[in-house]
Amino acid sequence: GAWAALGAVVGLALNYLSRWLARIEEIEFDQGFPQTLLMPALSGIFFFAFALKLGFHRELFIDSVYVAILVQVLAFDLKTRYILDLVMFPAWLVAFALAFITPWNPFLTWPWPDWRTAPVAAGIAGGVFLLLYLGGQLVFGAEAFGFGDVKLAVFIGMATGLSNLRMAHALIDGVFLGGFVAVILLVTRIRSLKQAVPYGPFLALGTIATLFVQPP
């Protein structure tokens, strides 16, 4: 309960932080009352679920930091179809710093200590999504993925690492979830083929699910 309450408070703080950073990056981010509840609600729910599963250990703190970042990305991209540089670039540094204190690896061994493998995973994930971004522009004349998704993929790789293929599972889950929702929106004619569906929220959800169900 206490960790869920903390999550809700973190979500409220994310609302204020998002509005401030959006002004700096000159992106319009007007939240109605229901939208102001999204970040606190998601943060509270996810914090509670992770605390219930992990207990109060170092892994809970690490995953909660990742969840807070991913909730911000999810809610902001859903509203604006932008992923803030002022969130992503610091998030890379945060994820790399946390890679030094992961509790599941012996120090100074290869290949699993996250402080060495996290940048490798980040490079692989970012490279794959960079190719998807460039391929979408070449084939469709438009962005199949936004460049913000490339930056998000770098963070996801840094946060999940190479162990147990968590990075691959997080990205694949996100892409399949986004594709499934896109097909439903097309079939129901809620969206047309010319209207892109933001992938950031689904990549964020896929990563949160991977962090939750798959140990390092």
Side-chain angles (χ1 to χ4, degrees):
W3 205 250
L6 175 63
V9 171
V10 168
L12 289 172
L14 289 174
N15 276 333
Y16 288 104
L17 178 65
S18 298
R19 288 196 290 268
W20 178 54
L21 295 179
R23 286 196 297 269
I24 294 174
E25 294 198 28
E26 299 182 344
I27 297 171
E28 185 176 346
F29 183 56
D30 295 324
Q31 292 176 294
F33 178 72
Q35 292 162 336
T36 62
L37 299 178
L38 184 58
M39 291 190 201
L42 289 178
S43 297
I45 291 168
F46 290 141
F47 272 46
F48 175 77
F50 276 82
L52 196 63
K53 180 179 181 183
L54 298 173
F56 289 94
H57 299 292
R58 195 189 317 172
E59 189 178 351
L60 175 63
F61 165 75
I62 294 170
D63 283 350
S64 295
V65 173
Y66 294 153
V67 164
I69 294 168
L70 292 165
V71 164
Q72 192 284 330
V73 170
L74 188 160
F76 193 87
D77 194 20
L78 201 61
K79 170 68 175 176
T80 66
R81 293 188 55 203
Y82 283 99
I83 296 174
L84 291 168
D85 289 343
L86 290 174
V87 170
M88 280 296 91
F89 294 148
W92 294 358
L93 298 177
V94 168
F96 184 59
L98 289 176
F100 283 84
I101 64 169
T102 50
W104 45 81
N105 290 313
F107 190 60
L108 294 177
T109 58
W110 182 265
W112 300 132
D114 283 11
W115 67 274
R116 283 190 288 191
T117 60
V120 176
I124 294 171
V128 168
F129 269 72
L130 179 60
L131 290 176
L132 290 172
Y133 168 76
L134 296 174
Q137 288 189 318
L138 183 64
V139 175
F140 299 108
E143 297 178 7
F145 293 89
F147 197 71
D149 296 327
V150 179
K151 298 171 213 174
L152 176 58
V154 171
F155 167 73
I156 291 171
M158 194 78 72
T160 54
L162 293 177
S163 61
N164 296 327
L165 296 177
R166 290 205 307 167
M167 176 265 290
H169 292 155
L171 294 178
I172 291 170
D173 288 351
V175 168
F176 272 102
L177 180 60
F180 177 71
V181 172
V183 168
I184 291 177
L185 293 176
L186 288 173
V187 170
T188 57
R189 298 186 178 180
I190 295 174
R191 293 260 181 164
S192 70
L193 282 171
K194 294 182 179 179
Q195 293 177 296
V197 176
Y199 258 87
F202 303 110
L203 292 173
L205 285 173
T207 305
I208 291 171
T210 298
L211 291 171
F212 184 77
V213 302
Q214 189 174 356

